[in-house]
Amino acid sequence: MNDGAGSSRKKRVFSGMQPSGEAHLGNYLGALSRWVDMQDDFDCIWCIVDDHAITAGGDPAELPGHVFDLAVSYVAVGLDPERAIIFVQSDVHQHTELAWLFNAVTPVGDLERMTQFKDKSQRFESVPAGILNYPILQAADILVYKSDAVPVGEDQKQHIELTRDIARKFNAAYGDTFPEPEPLIGRAGRILGLDGDAKMSKSLGNTVPILSEPDEIWERVRTAVTDPQRVRRDDPGRPEVCNVFALHGHFGDAALVEDVATQCRAATRGCVDCKRILSENISKRFAPFRARAAELKAKPTLVREILDDGANRARAIAEETLREVRERMGLDWRRGVPNG
Ligand code: SF4
């Protein structure tokens, strides 16, 4: 394994995902497949952000299992502990420590303007401070490793802007310490759920877990909403408004996508057959993930070792940053003790 100290000249990227168990198709298309591809070109740090997860509530008894399941998904899809640091956020307390220190330079108004804060806060009668401060912890996650870039979806761009603002404000107040990380926006765009309505999300039940068996994948895909105007099999369809067609674009080659569109418009293939093809292609793509996940689940200590090793390497980098930050902020009281 590399030492994780970023001695190479590769740019460093950080990203993380909240643990809600096994990853799903939306996680794969929107994030994980990109992260896998980035591992040759960047110095990568992939995190399971359990400190963030507690702001969403949930049963504490289930959280450790969700972390394990997400770790299995990470490694099964190809995140590689030999080429990246893979770890759990709560193992590296420097994230939360830096978040506290960033409170000193982050205006409350900036946090209140976050779109996600406005959305999420409506769900609470009394809004927990963690919902407001969440982007500060995100900034700390990224900046504690002095990351150069962050692969994110369009919906996270505003949070990266805030991270850049925090870095700027800190540098202005305490001296040049942090880079201003760039958002690397993915091409996958917004992945709609099988309901064709909302973003793919486990809580909405509109997705496909990536480790599903082929028949489970079909059970999910067969429920996918299609062009509402295609009521009978001989009604011509409109692939451009059908989410199944959009998903074909992620799992089939150009010739298949063209064939799907042509047959849809000509009503020469029914929606059930069209979904069958999609389901089989998803199943084929995910087959190696299922096999690798089965191996990992049979050897849970291997997963623990990967995460322990990742945490050690992450901690070494993060502590170096914190040492510098504490010193710049005057949090090294021993310097004030007179000699003698
Ligand atoms: Fe969608 Fe395929 Fe049905 Fe056309 S044939 S509406 S692309 S599911």
Side-chain angles (χ1 to χ4, degrees):
M1 290 181 185
N2 66 44
D3 65 6
S7 52
S8 69
R9 274 173 281 119
K10 287 178 181 175
K11 284 190 173 178
R12 176 170 288 159
V13 297
F14 172 94
S15 201
M17 204 173 273
Q18 279 200 32
S20 55
E22 183 182 320
H24 60 67
L25 193 148
N27 300 140
Y28 173 72
L29 293 178
L32 295 174
S33 60
R34 289 184 72 204
W35 297 3
V36 170
D37 291 344
M38 295 176 104
Q39 294 181 125
D40 287 332
D41 301 324
F42 294 90
D43 174 13
C44 297
I45 303 180
W46 310 131
C47 187
I48 294 175
V49 293
D50 57 345
D51 283 323
H52 282 288
I54 59 166
T55 62
D59 183 352
E62 290 181 357
L63 189 52
H66 286 169
V67 169
F68 175 78
D69 288 342
L70 185 58
V72 168
S73 295
Y74 271 18
V75 179
V77 300
L79 299 188
D80 180 0
E82 298 290 330
R83 291 185 292 159
I85 294 177
I86 302 171
F87 75 105
V88 182
Q89 185 184 28
S90 61
D91 271 348
V92 182
H93 64 78
Q94 286 82 356
H95 289 235
T96 43
E97 184 178 349
L98 185 59
W100 172 255
L101 300 178
F102 280 164
N103 277 303
V105 294
T106 311
V108 172
D110 287 2
L111 299 171
E112 287 171 337
R113 270 193 292 279
M114 291 285 120
T115 309
Q116 281 195 7
F117 170 70
K118 289 181 194 163
D119 291 348
K120 284 186 183 171
S121 58
Q122 285 173 359
R123 299 179 211 157
F124 295 90
E125 220 166 273
S126 166
V127 183
I131 299 289
L132 181 69
N133 290 330
Y134 188 105
I136 301 184
L137 182 55
Q138 267 189 335
D141 298 336
I142 297 162
L143 294 173
V144 80
Y145 302 104
K146 300 193 176 181
S147 308
D148 301 293
V150 191
V152 283
E154 191 67 44
D155 58 344
Q156 285 293 317
K157 210 170 147 189
Q158 194 186 27
H159 284 187
I160 306 304
E161 271 311 315
L162 183 71
T163 297
R164 290 164 60 87
D165 282 349
I166 289 173
R168 248 193 316 271
K169 288 196 171 84
F170 187 95
N171 291 346
Y174 299 104
D176 204 16
T177 310
F178 294 109
E180 291 180 32
E182 298 287 336
L184 301 176
I185 307 292
R187 278 195 298 259
R190 191 162 177 253
I191 311 293
L192 285 183
L194 297 175
D195 52 10
D197 197 26
K199 185 176 169 177
M200 226 177 233
S201 145
K202 189 173 180 181
S203 60
L204 296 174
N206 62 2
T207 187
V208 180
I210 58 164
L211 305 179
S212 303
E213 292 299 326
D215 54 342
E216 294 164 336
I217 295 175
W218 171 239
E219 281 310 307
R220 295 292 185 111
V221 172
R222 67 193 278 274
T223 66
V225 171
T226 62
D227 175 5
Q229 279 186 20
R230 197 165 182 210
V231 181
R232 290 183 307 268
R233 198 186 183 292
D234 52 2
D235 289 336
R238 300 168 300 165
E240 60 281 2
V241 302
C242 177
N243 191 38
V244 172
F245 179 70
L247 290 171
H248 271 297
H250 293 288
F251 290 94
D253 58 18
L256 176 95
V257 171
E258 197 185 322
D259 177 64
V260 168
T262 306
Q263 301 235 33
C264 175
R265 290 196 182 99
T268 45
R269 183 184 286 134
C271 289
V272 174
D273 290 340
C274 185
K275 291 181 195 176
R276 274 265 182 221
I277 296 169
L278 175 64
S279 176
E280 280 162 18
N281 282 339
I282 293 173
S283 185
K284 242 183 267 168
R285 177 82 62 86
F286 289 174
F289 307 163
R290 289 193 293 277
R292 180 83 177 116
E295 287 169 20
L296 292 163
K297 285 181 181 175
K299 290 185 205 154
T301 48
L302 181 59
V303 178
R304 200 166 59 208
E305 280 166 19
I306 290 170
L307 297 177
D308 280 340
D309 177 68
N312 287 337
R313 292 153 67 204
R315 211 178 287 119
I317 305 170
E319 181 50 27
E320 187 57 33
T321 305
L322 259 297
R323 192 195 49 71
E324 185 184 351
V325 168
R326 288 185 207 110
E327 198 178 299
R328 287 188 183 277
M329 297 184 86
L331 295 169
D332 54 345
W333 61 266
R334 285 173 185 79
R335 263 202 303 147
V337 179
N339 290 332

